[in-house]
């Protein structure tokens, strides 16, 4: 059992070195999964505008929304993941990866 706890500690220490990259990747996956629905919401709001205003409006909305997501969320997510200690970080990241896989399989069907 000691070898299992050593592996978890080593994987957590390795993951802790790359929390910023992991948080950015998790944010990117969340945007890919939910981006189409967010863009559809914007399309619903902007559908009553004429085409000349709708296209720049969608561009500004998408750039503002997704830019804010990619600017703020990885920092917050990295900070939240940083609270886990070396016994819990690797299992939490494993559970998150499994949940993302299940969610992406559900969305793709």
């Amino acid at each position: 059992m000691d070898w299992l706890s050593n592996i978890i500690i080593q994987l957590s220490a390795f993951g802790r070195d790359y929390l910023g990259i992991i948080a950015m990747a998790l944010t990117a996956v969340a945007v890919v999964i939910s981006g189409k629905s967010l863009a559809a919401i914007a399309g619903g709001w902007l559908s009553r505008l004429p085409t000349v205003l709708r296209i720049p409006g969608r561009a500004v909305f998408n750039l503002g929304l997704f830019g804010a997501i990619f600017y703020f969320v990885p920092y917050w997510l990295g900070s939240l993941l940083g609270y886990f200690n070396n016994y819990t970080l690797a299992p939490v990241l494993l559970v998150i990866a499994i949940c993302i896989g299940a969610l992406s399989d559900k969305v793709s069907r």
Side-chain angles (χ1 to χ4, degrees):
M1 236 20 210
D2 198 28
W3 61 272
L4 184 60
S5 63
N6 285 338
I7 289 174
I8 290 172
I9 290 171
Q10 288 176 351
L11 287 175
S12 294
F14 178 76
R16 189 168 306 283
D17 292 337
Y18 298 101
L19 277 181
I21 296 171
I22 292 169
M24 181 61 82
L26 290 174
T27 304
V29 168
V31 166
V32 166
I33 290 173
S34 64
K36 188 174 181 181
S37 61
L38 290 173
I41 291 170
W45 288 342
L46 298 171
S47 64
R48 63 181 181 265
L49 295 175
T51 305
V52 173
L53 297 175
R54 185 175 53 235
I55 292 172
R58 285 185 70 137
V60 167
F61 180 82
N62 287 336
L63 286 171
L65 176 69
F66 295 124
I69 287 172
F70 279 116
Y71 186 77
F72 292 111
V73 173
Y75 173 73
W76 294 336
L77 191 57
S79 297
L80 287 174
L81 288 173
Y83 285 121
F84 291 106
N85 61 17
N86 282 342
Y87 289 107
T88 57
L89 181 61
V92 165
L93 290 176
L94 181 65
V95 168
I96 288 173
I98 290 170
C99 289
I100 285 174
L103 182 64
S104 66
D105 186 50
K106 182 180 177 183
V107 169
S108 68
R109 289 182 187 218

